[in-house]
Amino acid sequence: MTENTQQQHASIPEPELPKTYAPAEVEGELYERWVERGYFTADAKSEKPPYTIVIPPPNVTGSLHLGHAFEHTLIDALTRRKRMQGYETLWQPGMDHAGIATQNVVERELAKEGKSRHDLGREAFVERVWQWKDESGGQIAGQMRRLGNGVAWDRDRFTMDEGLSRAVQTVFKKMFDEGLIYRAERIINWCPRCLTAISDIEVDYQDDDGELVSMKYGEGDETIVVATTRAETMLGDTAVAVHPDDERYAHLVGKQIKLPLTGRSIPVVADTHVDPEFGTGAVKVTPAHDPNDFAIGQRHDLESIEVLDERGIITAHGPFEGLDRFEARSAIVAALRAEGRIVAEKRPYVHSVGHCSRCKTTLEPRLSLQWWVKVEPLAKAAGDAVRDGRVNIHPADLTQRYFDWIDNLNDWCISRQLWWGHRIPVWHGPNGETVCVGPDEQPPSGEGWTQDTDVLDTWFSSGLWPFSTLGWPEKTPDLAKFYPNSVLVTGYDLIFFWVARMMMFGLYAMDGEVPFRTIAFHGMVRDELGKKMSKSFGNAVNPLDWMDKYGSDALRFTLARGANPGTDVPIGEDWVQASRNFANKIWNATRFALMNGATVEGELPPAERLSATNRWILSRLNEVVAEVDGLYEDYQFAKLSDALYHFAWDEVFDWYVELTKTTFMAGGQEAEDTKRVLGEVLDVTLKLLHPVVPFVTETLWTTLTGGESLVIADWPVDSGFRDAAAEKEIETVQSLITEVRRFRTDQGLQPGQKVPARVDLTGTGLDAHEPAIRQLLRLQPEGEGFSATATLPVAGATVALDLSGTIDVEAERKRLTKDLAAAEKEVAAANGKLGNEAFLAKAPDQVVDKIRGRLAKAEADIARIQGQLEKLPAA
């Protein structure tokens, strides 16, 4: 027993546990007690070593989904363990203002009133968003409490609160002054619905059914055929490009050809970007509406003609002006067809098209004046920090994915044409002047001076999260104590969005100090067939529903048990139900132990006085402590959860508790020793389980020990005690009991059915275990008239059973026949799935392996049952 446990209890109350565990009756009250007692706060003045994790800030528009619950469970497990190990633990909570998403929400609310943001004006609209945030945003915080998140609520931050806004303005000013932020006109991804630029990583690409139209430019011998999926952009063409070595078009290079429908002539230019093997080897060039064309235009000094406005409406003069881009596409193809210029049309033509990740609108490449971050020096520093070992990526096989991204970054478009967000702190003067203003500086005033209308990309502010939440740019005690973060726990999908931004900003703003020592990537939560969860698929799950039904611990344990580093996690309701059963098992076993006097009072008895059963469980207990510690350090949540599950259920509850029943019935010194050992085993096991299943373990542990709270109890330490001989002895007992149980089952005996038996343990060294063996196998003494109808040589011992008069042959035949039919049905179902190529192509490996396992078991069952039927005597 640890010193802290001794200090926490004065007198242990009588066990007061209901017969069944009701999560809803304890979880909410327990959590509020933890918060009120300040267990989750973090003190910068503490002399304890720091352990810091930031929450990946969820959108203020969001609610708890299974992905949040999964990630939060892992972070909470890490921080709870470190707190118990004596660290000053900070799990930093907060919310992201989510620029586009939040503005969309409030604009939809306004639309219900028949208004737009322009009816309100910028200032009033921003006030309206703040009002929405205060009234409706952030519901996820309450849901986090339901899950049991041990976050430092007194430090809750928001990416647009005063302190974080100051950090954003400070970084922007510093980068602007050093030439790392600049303004330039380039092709960007434009959303005609959200009316803003979005970055490359916010583009969702999907295959759309479109059309590929080949059309003829020029006249007579000076014609050339080009193909496009966006015929409407031809109104803005300013050249046709061919490869310099393409002899087919050598006579046209440098000449002017007629651009249909426009009355303009455009040049034919030679550019190595063109692939002469693709299509006709000639491409139309629209510098204002395509990134590759823009680059060609820059090289050849071509004019950029914009023919689509911000809403995707044609602005070119002529009969197409005012048409939506998709309406114009059909109209322009029809007009070209009427002139005999359509050479070929392919419909449908499936091709990859970019869509807005927020509203799913088809994006439009658009030439636009935007603000950019020069990322080259920042990205190099972020790559070097991983290469030289200052930051470790876990699992290691994701390191290359990080390098593939960070080593090939383009400059980052950070401006958004929104009203909700951090407004760019730049003022433009009447004569073209540009002044960037820091947080303690006064903006220029006077006629003609206006602030830039754009706001910053949301990822700009969330990229500062590891240090802005600690008071930067001030040199605060919090910053000195808790920076850098110990570990970042996040999904591998955020390597591009968030991780890279934090790495670049942290190294830049914190003078080369990394933002975190380790990046622990996890996968995505999927349904039990491995399919992405989505409302549109009909497989999305509200985690609150499962928590209401099975308890928060059950959901947490299910998620943790599936969390192999960097890989996706399939989850189904039956798995959560199984975890609920595990929580019930912990409850019932602890309740039994308390009823039999399990205690943590006093020192453990000396090993030489303990029975083999007690020495075995203490040896195994220390092995599990060491194993779990190693797995935590390697972020192997699935393996540590599985190890704890099997140790607690199989070894402690199914074997040790059962083996002690005869000891308690016998009484004496061994029973007293067993009470203390059982108390120790439960004390340590509940502590090991607590970070993953905090509620049920807290209730049981405080009842067992009288301690204040597991949250602040000491984490178990491997004492080094091992007893290989005792482990071998109990393994032999287990083997003997298991074999006889299997024989009983094969003979159709009911689990509780008692059978006369002779147990010969001569020479095995297991004599002390005979009472437990008989108790667990329901073996009665021989008695008069004993007849050994079956003799089993097992584990060096001999067990002779008298089965005469114990079996109803006809009933047993019916039972076995029914079991045989069920096994054959299982084989047919499994073979059906494994023979379905479409299923195998979509199902994750874990699911396929599970089905193969079921097939193997069912086939073994068939062989076993058929053997039993053959052995039955004739009726």
Side-chain angles (χ1 to χ4, degrees):
M1 183 174 63
T2 62
E3 179 182 355
N4 195 51
T5 302
Q6 291 174 324
Q7 291 174 347
Q8 284 194 46
H9 79 273
S11 61
I12 300 176
E14 288 296 316
E16 294 182 0
L17 290 175
K19 288 186 178 181
T20 57
Y21 178 50
E25 295 178 10
V26 300
E27 290 178 349
E29 181 181 341
L30 266 186
Y31 186 83
E32 293 310 316
R33 186 187 310 160
W34 291 335
V35 174
E36 289 167 6
R37 292 180 178 178
Y39 293 157
F40 304 142
T41 59
D43 184 2
K45 297 178 182 179
S46 169
E47 295 183 0
K48 297 178 182 179
Y51 187 79
T52 313
I53 297 181
V54 295
I55 195 171
N59 288 353
V60 69
T61 59
S63 60
L64 191 73
H65 56 65
L66 273 179
H68 289 128
F70 173 52
E71 184 169 76
H72 293 188
T73 294
L74 305 187
I75 298 176
D76 197 43
L78 290 174
T79 53
R80 283 179 182 271
R81 171 175 174 262
K82 285 296 182 180
R83 189 181 294 111
M84 295 172 74
Q85 286 183 314
Y87 286 78
E88 191 64 26
T89 302
L90 169 59
W91 181 8
Q92 173 65 55
M95 295 280 175
D96 192 287
H97 66 277
I100 295 177
T102 305
Q103 180 157 320
N104 282 347
V105 168
V106 178
E107 286 198 82
R108 284 196 293 270
E109 292 295 315
L110 283 175
K112 295 176 183 177
E113 302 171 14
K115 298 178 182 178
S116 73
R117 59 182 163 122
H118 300 285
D119 294 323
L120 272 66
R122 183 170 193 143
E123 186 175 342
F125 176 77
V126 170
E127 288 181 5
R128 178 70 176 261
V129 180
W130 275 109
Q131 179 184 347
W132 176 89
K133 185 261 180 187
D134 292 338
E135 294 176 357
S136 307
Q139 61 177 308
I140 199 170
Q143 296 163 340
M144 286 167 58
R145 301 171 91 93
R146 282 288 313 277
L147 192 64
N149 291 3
V151 299
W153 288 113
D154 59 321
R155 295 169 173 268
D156 199 15
R157 303 305 299 268
F158 181 56
T159 48
M160 280 186 62
D161 66 28
E162 183 178 350
L164 269 63
S165 295
R166 180 179 179 84
V168 168
Q169 196 171 353
T170 300
V171 166
F172 189 100
K173 169 70 172 175
K174 177 177 169 63
M175 296 179 76
F176 180 89
D177 290 347
E178 294 178 6
L180 292 173
I181 287 180
Y182 63 94
R183 199 180 190 208
E185 193 174 46
R186 293 184 180 173
I187 295 287
I188 47 88
N189 304 297
W190 182 265
C191 178
R193 159 61 184 81
C194 298
L195 300 180
T196 182
I198 66 172
S199 64
D200 293 342
I201 54 176
E202 294 172 299
V203 179
D204 287 341
Y205 287 96
Q206 66 184 51
D207 288 340
D208 286 359
D209 286 343
E211 60 181 352
L212 181 66
V213 179
S214 298
M215 46 196 181
K216 182 170 59 178
Y217 288 5
E219 300 289 352
D221 294 336
E222 296 182 350
T223 60
I224 195 165
V225 175
V226 298
T228 182
T229 58
R230 300 164 65 216
E232 68 279 7
T233 63
M234 61 86 58
L235 300 175
D237 286 359
T238 55
V240 171
V242 298
H243 194 276
D245 299 330
D246 194 334
E247 295 182 358
R248 292 173 296 174
Y249 304 115
H251 66 291
L252 292 178
V253 173
K255 291 187 177 181
Q256 298 279 328
I257 60 173
K258 183 180 179 182
L259 179 66
L261 306 181
T262 66
R264 292 189 290 113
S265 293
I266 57 175
V268 177
V269 299
D271 195 280
T272 54
H273 168 76
V274 180
D275 179 2
E277 302 298 323
F278 183 77
T280 63
V283 297
K284 60 190 286 298
V285 181
T286 321
H289 295 283
D290 183 273
N292 293 321
D293 293 3
F294 179 77
I296 293 174
Q298 293 285 294
R299 288 192 289 271
H300 297 277
D301 196 26
L302 300 175
E303 182 183 4
S304 294
I305 300 175
E306 294 185 52
V307 296
L308 290 166
D309 70 7
E310 61 182 10
R311 297 182 183 275
I313 304 299
I314 296 294
T315 59
H317 295 298
F320 312 107
E321 185 176 6
L323 292 180
D324 171 81
R325 53 185 168 157
F326 300 118
E327 296 174 332
R329 182 174 300 172
S330 300
I332 286 171
V333 170
L336 290 169
R337 189 184 298 112
E339 290 190 4
R341 292 188 174 275
I342 297 298
V343 176
E345 297 178 72
K346 184 177 181 180
R347 297 188 186 89
Y349 179 73
V350 179
H351 61 132
S352 182
V353 177
H355 295 258
C356 176
S357 62
R358 297 295 181 188
C359 69
K360 310 309 176 186
T361 299
T362 301
L363 296 173
E364 197 65 46
R366 186 167 186 251
L367 186 62
S368 182
L369 184 63
Q370 301 285 345
W371 289 95
W372 303 80
V373 168
K374 183 180 180 182
V375 301
E376 183 179 1
L378 306 175
K380 182 181 184 305
D384 290 345
V386 174
R387 288 188 169 93
D388 62 25
R390 284 176 289 155
V391 176
N392 295 307
I393 290 179
H394 187 88
D397 58 9
L398 286 178
T399 304
Q400 189 55 50
R401 187 186 298 191
Y402 173 82
F403 288 142
D404 289 344
W405 177 257
I406 207 76
D407 293 344
N408 296 285
L409 277 180
N410 296 318
D411 283 1
W412 172 21
C413 176
I414 57 172
S415 47
R416 300 291 181 267
Q417 290 63 57
L418 305 171
W419 287 357
W420 173 246
H422 295 281
R423 194 166 176 181
I424 288 178
V426 170
W427 270 255
H428 304 287
N431 299 311
E433 305 95 328
T434 299
V435 175
C436 182
V437 177
D440 297 318
E441 300 172 353
Q442 290 295 319
S445 58
E447 187 176 350
W449 282 96
T450 58
Q451 186 176 357
D452 198 285
T453 57
D454 289 349
V455 300
L456 287 166
D457 178 9
T458 298
W459 296 104
F460 192 99
S461 53
S462 59
L464 315 182
W465 193 246
F467 54 90
S468 63
T469 52
L470 297 173
W472 189 91
E474 308 304 324
K475 294 183 178 181
T476 64
D478 284 342
L479 200 63
K481 177 74 174 180
F482 296 113
Y483 189 91
N485 290 189
S486 306
V487 60
L488 172 71
V489 178
T490 191
Y492 60 70
D493 58 322
L494 290 184
I495 290 178
F496 322 120
F497 288 94
W498 193 42
V499 177
R501 312 298 193 208
M502 287 189 290
M503 285 288 285
M504 291 191 294
F505 278 138
L507 289 160
Y508 173 74
M510 296 301 293
D511 300 320
E513 180 62 87
V514 296
F516 20 75
R517 305 292 188 197
T518 299
I519 306 170
F521 286 116
H522 59 72
M524 305 294 104
V525 178
R526 297 181 178 273
D527 71 12
E528 54 192 312
L529 295 177
K531 190 175 182 180
K532 180 180 177 181
M533 285 192 171
S534 167
K535 290 181 180 179
S536 60
F537 294 156
N539 63 349
V541 173
N542 182 345
L544 293 176
D545 293 341
W546 281 352
M547 286 191 279
D548 288 341
K549 193 171 183 180
Y550 303 110
S552 298
D553 284 332
L555 177 62
R556 289 171 61 113
F557 192 74
T558 305
L559 292 167
R561 202 173 178 195
N564 290 297
T567 59
D568 291 345
V569 182
I571 184 173
E573 185 171 0
D574 56 336
W575 303 341
V576 186
Q577 185 174 354
S579 295
R580 189 272 311 274
N581 295 342
F582 179 50
N584 289 342
K585 184 75 170 181
I586 301 170
W587 183 272
N588 294 334
T590 304
R591 192 169 177 274
F592 165 83
L594 289 169
M595 291 170 61
N596 282 276
T599 180
V600 295
E601 289 278 12
E603 296 299 323
L604 281 171
E608 58 270 18
R609 198 174 84 197
L610 293 176
S611 67
T613 302
N614 283 327
R615 285 183 280 114
W616 158 70
I617 198 63
L618 289 175
S619 180
R620 285 292 301 128
L621 182 68
N622 280 286
E623 288 172 355
V624 170
V625 169
E627 180 183 8
V628 168
D629 272 334
L631 292 171
Y632 260 116
E633 295 304 317
D634 199 33
Y635 304 99
Q636 296 281 356
F637 297 99
K639 289 182 179 179
L640 72 88
S641 298
D642 211 47
L644 286 170
Y645 175 88
H646 287 294
F647 175 70
W649 191 307
D650 301 344
E651 297 186 72
V652 178
F653 305 147
D654 273 359
W655 281 110
Y656 179 66
V657 168
E658 291 299 317
L659 288 169
T660 63
K661 287 182 177 180
T662 53
T663 302
F664 288 136
M665 287 189 289
Q669 184 61 55
E670 185 177 339
E672 293 304 309
D673 289 347
T674 299
K675 290 176 183 179
R676 180 64 188 88
V677 172
L678 179 54
E680 181 75 10
V681 171
L682 288 174
D683 177 25
V684 173
T685 302
L686 291 171
K687 286 177 177 176
L688 292 174
L689 285 165
H690 176 73
V692 180
V693 284
F695 294 107
V696 67
T697 52
E698 172 84 340
T699 305
L700 295 173
W701 185 85
T702 52
T703 305
L704 170 70
T705 68
E708 181 183 334
S709 175
L710 260 180
V711 179
I712 56 172
D714 288 337
W715 181 253
V717 177
D718 175 13
S719 70
F721 176 76
R722 301 289 191 277
D723 193 323
E727 290 192 37
K728 179 68 175 176
E729 184 173 325
I730 299 304
E731 285 174 10
T732 304
V733 173
Q734 291 172 329
S735 177
L736 186 155
I737 292 172
T738 300
E739 286 300 315
V740 177
R741 278 177 172 169
R742 183 178 295 118
F743 178 79
R744 286 177 56 104
T745 301
D746 288 346
Q747 295 305 310
L749 297 176
Q750 297 301 313
Q753 188 173 353
K754 294 181 179 180
V755 178
R758 178 187 301 128
V759 178
D760 185 358
L761 300 173
T762 305
T764 64
L766 304 180
D767 292 342
H769 300 288
E770 183 171 347
I773 291 171
R774 283 187 172 275
Q775 171 71 20
L776 291 175
L777 289 173
R778 303 295 190 267
L779 303 181
Q780 293 178 319
E782 299 173 39
E784 292 185 16
F786 177 82
S787 175
T789 60
T791 302
L792 307 177
V794 288
T798 301
V799 179
L801 303 173
D802 184 353
L803 302 178
S804 58
T806 61
I807 301 178
D808 181 336
V809 175
E810 189 58 36
E812 183 63 9
R813 190 183 304 280
K814 287 181 179 179
R815 184 186 71 82
L816 290 173
T817 302
K818 181 179 179 182
D819 290 348
L820 180 63
E824 290 172 340
K825 183 177 180 181
E826 178 70 19
V827 167
N831 279 327
K833 289 184 177 179
L834 294 174
N836 186 332
E837 294 297 331
F839 171 80
L840 293 176
K842 294 180 180 179
D845 292 342
Q846 308 100 300
V847 173
V848 175
D849 290 344
K850 185 176 179 180
I851 293 172
R852 286 179 177 143
R854 285 164 49 189
L855 174 62
K857 181 181 181 303
E859 289 175 337
D861 286 343
I862 289 173
R864 174 179 57 78
I865 295 168
Q866 288 174 337
Q868 291 175 242
L869 284 168
E870 291 172 2
K871 292 177 183 177
L872 284 176

